[in-house]
Amino acid sequence: MAAQDVMEKIVSLAKRRGFVYQGSEIYGGLAGVYDFGPRGVELLNNIKKSWWKANVYDKENYYGLDSGMFKHPKVWEASGHVGGFADPLAECRNCQHRIRVDKELANIGVAADEKMSEEQINELFDQNRDKIKCPVCGKKDFTPAMAFNLLVKSNLGDFTSEGGEPVYLPGEACQGIYLDYKNIVDTMQPKMPFGVAQIGKAFRNEISPRNFLFRTREFEQADTQLFIRPNENKEAYEAIKQDRWNWYLSLGINEKKLRFKQHENLVFYAKDAWDIEYEFPSGFDEVEGIHDRTDYDLSQHQKFSGSDLRYNDQEKGEKFIPWILETSMGMGRVFLAVLCDAYQEDEMDGETRVVLRLAPHLAPIKAAVFPLLKNKPELVEKAREIYTNLKKEIPQIMWDDNGNIGKRYRRQDEIGTPYCITIDFDTLGENPEQKDTVTVRDRDTGEQSRMPVSELAAFLKSKIQ
Ligand code: ATP
């Protein structure tokens, strides 16, 4: 299947089965924003739970955090987000490569003054479009130039701070961790090294959002920052890389579709940087960055805030600005990787079916309960009883009595439900040996086995751990 077809099928399934909707769809949509529907929010929350478990509960020296989205305007100056990105950029519509329009104009001898407005630059750009081609693919089809700052501005507090600096939405979630580093040190008294983990929203004015959830303007990041002693980075960095790799495997992702990629060009303060990439239908691309960042982030915040951010190690009698090892993962990208990895078309019972082979702990619905026939009150009554009891123990249980059993199986396969439980006349005792047993059908193999009702909850729990 061509890559684009696979992606289109996944996008269509995500919509059809309530995983992901285009944001503001009834108004024609808002580019780069998506909503997670009833099935999607469950899958998303399950990924988050798994991440939180791996990065907070399974560790002894990591603390969880949920910082406010709005931050002091100086934060984005300290981080380099303000001031660094105000270039007139245009993007190639064919390959998405971005060019600096002022530079390209200069290359062909057209001077674009840096004080020119976006409109004036675009006037020059339009007059010279036939002379500027994309250095990557050679096409001459560009978006208009935009004075480009990735940060999204808000007008929070405008009524009080006349002419003051704008308050931005977070361009990355990790800044909240740096801002609360001192609070955590003061209130939790952590020993070195210690980590902070946070899942938070980020907003970026991406010039061309694309590839469904891959590049959006509103997204979530799951970040960890490990605060370490200066120069104690090497071993810890390798351990983090391995740990993060293993987490992807724990999601059930095919290891062959994952790879590490080292950054070739490091920013001046960084010691090392690797991405974990997943092979999407369009090819390998970044889902997470792992960065060895030295003391740059806290030094910047110490400089801009005037607060003393040194760690006071009383045992060793030392004060120092900790170095940071960071992991930063895009939740939407991992959600998309999980969907792509789980999506399969195979043959079952002589039919082609679409199935999401989601790991049971990630599946939005853990089991669906069916009465064999919906017009037999005694079957429905027994099935409702089993459904209600199971739901008390495992909330993600679904009732379905719509259409024939085959259709119900197909619907559950499409949303990745690992088990379907059918209540039939044997359950009621038509065959005394089978009384109070049900049929449990396995999503991946299609195999059906009988199981006592009393064992169902324990069986399901053992599978979704
Ligand atoms: P890219 O090079 O793809 O733009 P990046 O290197 O700018 O990504 P980081 O700033 O390191 O990304 O952000 C960390 C993670 O956040 C990325 O690995 C990615 O998973 C996610 N992310 C970044 N930008 C977006 C976006 N526009 N939409 C969805 N996820 C994103």
Side-chain angles (χ1 to χ4, degrees), residues 348-459:
M348 190 166 277
D349 308 329
E351 281 178 41
T352 307
R353 67 161 183 170
V354 170
V355 56
L356 284 187
R357 291 180 189 270
L358 293 170
H361 73 291
L362 298 185
I365 302 291
K366 309 304 182 192
V369 177
F370 315 149
L372 180 65
L373 301 167
K374 83 180 208 190
N375 55 1
K376 295 284 175 199
E378 62 278 34
L379 280 181
V380 173
E381 193 187 335
K382 185 71 184 167
R384 288 289 316 174
E385 179 195 314
I386 292 171
Y387 162 77
T388 312
N389 286 337
L390 269 183
K391 208 168 160 59
K392 280 184 201 145
E393 301 207 45
I394 303 159
Q396 306 92 340
I397 299 282
M398 184 180 157
W399 172 263
D400 193 357
D401 59 7
N402 220 341
N404 65 33
I405 290 281
K407 285 215 176 94
R408 296 180 207 165
Y409 285 158
R410 296 292 165 272
R411 267 202 303 273
Q412 296 299 330
D413 288 344
E414 275 201 330
I415 62 168
T417 305
Y419 301 101
C420 290
I421 297 166
T422 305
I423 285 76
D424 56 20
F425 292 104
D426 286 349
T427 318
L428 301 178
E430 196 166 284
N431 172 357
E433 277 176 25
Q434 306 277 24
K435 188 167 177 351
D436 284 324
T437 66
V438 290
T439 307
V440 178
R441 181 253 193 192
D442 181 292
R443 172 197 70 200
D444 297 339
T445 60
E447 268 168 31
Q448 303 186 13
S449 55
R450 290 218 65 103
M451 186 177 294
V453 173
S454 58
E455 288 175 18
L456 279 175
F459 168 77

Side-chain angles (χ1 to χ4, degrees), residues 122-134:
N122 270 314
E123 217 167 283
L124 285 181
F125 188 29
D126 285 343
Q127 287 161 11
N128 294 283
R129 273 177 184 262
D130 57 325
K131 293 182 212 123
I132 299 177
K133 58 180 185 193
C134 174

Side-chain angles (χ1 to χ4, degrees), residues 204 206 214-216 219 221 286-289 328 330 333:
R204 290 185 193 174
E206 294 286 357
F214 185 83
R215 189 171 298 287
T216 52
F219 55 99
Q221 290 179 317
E286 171 181 348
V287 290
E288 168 162 350
S328 184
R333 289 192 189 177

